Amino acid sequence: MSLLSELITSLFPEELLSIRKMRLEGKQKAVLDLVIERHHAMPAPEEEAKLIGITSNHLYSIQSILLQRCYKVLVPEDGVYLLIFLQTRGLGLHCKKEILAQEKQLYERHADPLEIERFYLQTLNVLQAVTLAHFTPKVLEEFRARFLALEQPPHPHNYFHIKIRELLFKEILVTSNPKKRKPSDVEYIRNELLLLEQGLTGSDHPMAPYFLESAFIIYYALLEPDMMKQEYHLRKALSLTSKLPDLLRSEEKIRMSLRIANLKLTMGEFNEALELYEQQYQKHGIELFRMFGYHLDRLVRLYLIAGKYTNAEELLVKGYENHIRRGGSHVATSGVIFYVELSLLRRDPSKTKRYLEKAFQLNSGSAFTVDLEIEIRLLQVMYHYLIGDYDFINHLVTRAQKYLQRKGLKLTTSDKVQWFLSVREIAKAVRHHEDPPAYVTETINNLLKGQDAVLGLLLRRLVNQEVPAHI
């Protein structure tokens, strides 16, 4: 499949409509029409060229031109916005090629070193597994070498900033593939961070202190999780944004504010997290959260936790509806799961059933993920509690236990088993007019302290229908 075909296949209906409206003539129009008409079963390149009446080389040239024109229609802002668009659509090869093309353009027009630095730093946020998989070790090392060698204004602490660039790049590589992570890599990063912290004490370098804090944040979020240290370095980084060059200041301040809001959610400080997210939403609108889809997920969660169901539903329509209609991604499945939770919180069994069926349908094939499957199955058990089908709950919980065991999750190693057992014990207690076991209350209280608080609210509602389903 050509890159053009891949792109067309990834589009939502209204995006495809905007592509159809491009003014094209002759062979360009013929090539695009063929791709749109047959993108799910494209002929081989030789046959495609023959159908259009051109050579294979001419076909490739036309496809390259059309690809760039499509990019421009879909993401007029270009730059990092295009990279994020490609990365979130799972178009890793596109993203890799566009990264290298944008880098080349910057050097060819002799862009200011600070603009190039900004490009590299933005790219680090896009270099996730879906894109890294398309870089050969040689190309990736050459890209890294150009980043490290980038010119800086004279400053006695430039050496430290180069080391920070190196560590940021290494953190991306180490965190993108947890299965291949070596303890020696984690130890190296920790030791280097501490040495750099000591070396930069009191430094007035315009960027090194801030990006050192960024490296610490990644480390304590993904390599040695520690929420208190994360918060310390996040607060410190936010205070340092004021000292960054103008070109970087605004976007880095937004990035740190979003990270702090996310941490507050993880720590169970929901009101503060929601306030921080809403500040950014009011300033920048849905486009910011579409660009940073992870934070869109967090804001929906917070609206559900706070009982602001109308806000949650509006955000789901704006941020997830297109993904759900198209399907084929974990984003689509996550969106439907939110709809299931919303329906359960509203005690609407009809919509709950419909969205559960949709969730199972979407979480399949290449879009399947185990974590989402577990959550869907748990919500299915809660649905049967809602409709009073207590006998079937036992069957579902037993089936879920077997499924979790096949995935290596047992009562001694995973809290998720407790979630299912809690529903079963609640149903049993209700039938016998008893209180559920103490461990059920403990499970609920633990869920209510963090990012899975919506599940905690739903479980708490099962125990006591009179308790508000919000915090």
Side-chain angles (χ1 to χ4, degrees):
M1 181 182 289
S2 69
L3 292 176
L4 183 61
S5 299
E6 282 186 352
L7 178 66
I8 294 300
T9 303
S10 77
L11 299 183
F12 300 138
E14 59 268 33
E15 292 170 337
L16 186 57
L17 182 61
S18 67
I19 296 300
R20 287 181 182 275
K21 290 180 179 178
M22 287 196 307
R23 291 187 177 183
L24 299 172
E25 295 180 353
K27 299 301 184 184
Q28 287 189 9
K29 186 176 187 307
V31 169
L32 184 62
D33 287 347
L34 181 64
V35 170
I36 291 174
E37 180 186 342
R38 301 178 62 174
H39 64 273
H40 288 297
M42 281 298 294
E46 296 79 9
E47 185 183 345
E48 186 180 355
K50 188 176 179 180
L51 287 169
I52 303 295
I54 56 178
T55 65
S56 296
N57 287 340
H58 192 189
L59 173 65
Y60 179 79
S61 176
I62 290 174
Q63 287 177 339
S64 298
I65 294 169
L66 288 173
L67 189 65
Q68 293 304 316
R69 291 196 62 178
C70 289
Y71 286 163
K72 198 64 181 174
V73 168
L74 296 165
V75 190
E77 301 90 347
D78 201 21
V80 68
Y81 298 99
L82 176 57
L83 300 181
I84 292 170
F85 171 84
L86 297 172
Q87 193 268 334
T88 53
R89 294 298 171 90
L91 300 171
L93 182 56
H94 290 247
C95 194
K96 174 244 183 177
K97 286 179 174 292
E98 189 60 27
I99 285 171
L100 296 178
Q102 289 186 18
E103 181 194 29
K104 183 180 179 182
Q105 289 170 6
L106 286 168
Y107 281 105
E108 285 180 346
R109 66 177 175 84
H110 304 289
D112 184 87
L114 182 59
E115 185 182 351
I116 302 176
E117 175 114 28
R118 179 193 186 199
F119 162 78
Y120 282 122
L121 293 168
Q122 290 174 332
T123 299
L124 291 182
N125 293 298
V126 182
L127 273 177
Q128 298 178 13
V130 68
T131 304
L132 280 171
H134 295 280
F135 277 88
T136 65
K138 180 176 182 291
V139 172
L140 190 62
E141 176 54 34
E142 290 171 349
F143 182 79
R144 171 184 171 276
R146 290 190 295 272
F147 176 36
L148 299 187
L150 184 63
E151 180 185 353
Q152 301 179 68
H155 194 284
H157 291 161
N158 279 348
Y159 163 78
F160 293 115
H161 189 52
I162 294 171
K163 289 295 295 181
I164 292 166
R165 290 174 180 170
E166 179 188 324
L167 276 184
L168 286 169
F169 205 93
K170 188 170 183 65
E171 282 183 328
I172 296 300
L173 299 181
V174 171
T175 58
S176 67
N177 195 340
K179 292 182 179 179
K180 292 186 177 180
R181 187 179 302 165
K182 301 175 184 175
S184 58
D185 287 333
V186 178
E187 184 180 3
Y188 171 81
I189 292 170
R190 181 178 63 248
N191 292 340
E192 289 296 310
L193 286 172
L194 295 174
L195 286 173
L196 286 165
E197 184 178 41
Q198 184 178 359
L200 283 169
T201 301
S203 173
D204 64 349
H205 191 282
M207 291 187 287
Y210 171 82
F211 286 104
L212 174 62
E213 297 306 319
S214 295
F216 266 118
I217 292 161
I218 295 170
Y219 181 83
Y220 285 121
L222 300 174
L223 297 177
E224 189 184 313
D226 187 319
M227 288 191 287
M228 297 307 294
K229 288 182 179 178
Q230 270 189 74
E231 183 171 19
Y232 169 78
H233 289 288
L234 278 164
R235 296 291 183 189
K236 195 172 176 183
L238 187 61
S239 69
L240 287 168
T241 56
S242 61
K243 298 180 181 180
L244 287 169
D246 291 345
L247 186 64
L248 304 176
R249 188 178 303 147
S250 176
E251 61 191 56
E252 291 301 329
K253 188 173 183 179
I254 292 170
R255 194 185 310 280
M256 284 304 146
S257 296
L258 292 174
R259 284 177 170 175
I260 291 172
N262 173 57
L263 180 63
K264 289 297 180 183
L265 167 59
T266 306
M267 296 171 72
E269 298 176 16
F270 304 124
N271 291 334
E272 189 173 350
L274 182 55
E275 183 180 351
L276 289 169
Y277 271 130
E278 285 192 317
Q279 285 174 2
Q280 296 302 322
Y281 186 63
Q282 288 163 10
K283 285 181 185 176
H284 307 286
I286 189 63
E287 290 307 318
L288 175 69
F289 286 83
R290 282 201 187 108
M291 188 167 71
F292 298 108
Y294 178 80
H295 296 289
L296 177 64
D297 170 288
R298 315 318 260 177
L299 183 52
V300 174
R301 285 174 190 263
L302 285 164
Y303 278 141
L304 293 177
I305 291 167
K308 296 186 175 184
Y309 303 148
T310 301
N311 299 70
E313 194 166 23
E314 288 175 357
L315 207 56
L316 284 168
V317 171
K318 290 179 180 178
Y320 285 93
E321 202 61 49
N322 280 332
H323 291 278
I324 292 169
R325 286 203 301 268
R326 181 175 173 273
S329 72
H330 73 277
V331 178
T333 310
S334 297
V336 175
I337 287 173
F338 279 134
Y339 275 118
V340 175
E341 291 173 339
L342 179 61
S343 301
L344 283 170
L345 289 166
R346 286 174 163 170
R347 298 175 180 173
D348 187 333
S350 177
K351 284 188 177 179
T352 302
K353 181 181 179 183
R354 176 155 55 88
Y355 286 124
L356 274 170
E357 290 170 353
K358 184 69 173 177
F360 279 118
Q361 175 192 337
L362 289 175
N363 193 42
S364 59
S366 61
F368 176 84
T369 64
V370 172
D371 286 344
L372 294 180
E373 181 71 14
I374 292 170
E375 192 167 351
I376 297 167
R377 287 176 181 236
L378 178 63
L379 295 171
Q380 182 187 36
V381 175
M382 291 182 181
Y383 161 72
H384 283 277
Y385 184 98
L386 178 66
I387 64 174
D389 193 355
Y390 300 139
D391 291 332
F392 196 56
I393 286 174
N394 286 325
H395 168 69
L396 288 175
V397 171
T398 301
R399 193 168 71 181
Q401 276 185 280
K402 292 178 179 178
Y403 177 80
L404 291 169
Q405 287 171 356
R406 289 199 301 272
K407 299 300 178 183
L409 300 174
K410 300 179 182 178
L411 188 59
T412 55
T413 59
S414 174
D415 293 335
K416 293 178 180 178
V417 179
Q418 290 277 23
W419 301 351
F420 287 92
L421 297 180
S422 294
V423 182
R424 186 173 68 184
E425 291 300 326
I426 293 168
K428 181 180 176 182
V430 167
R431 281 188 295 183
H432 292 86
H433 305 288
E434 300 172 347
D435 292 329
Y439 86 79
V440 172
T441 303
E442 184 181 352
T443 298
I444 293 171
N445 289 338
N446 287 336
L447 283 168
L448 292 173
K449 293 176 184 176
Q451 62 183 10
D452 293 312
V454 176
L455 298 178
L457 289 170
L458 289 168
L459 283 173
R460 189 173 72 176
R461 171 78 73 77
L462 301 186
V463 175
N464 185 349
Q465 295 288 324
E466 304 305 317
V467 176
H470 60 82
I471 296 176

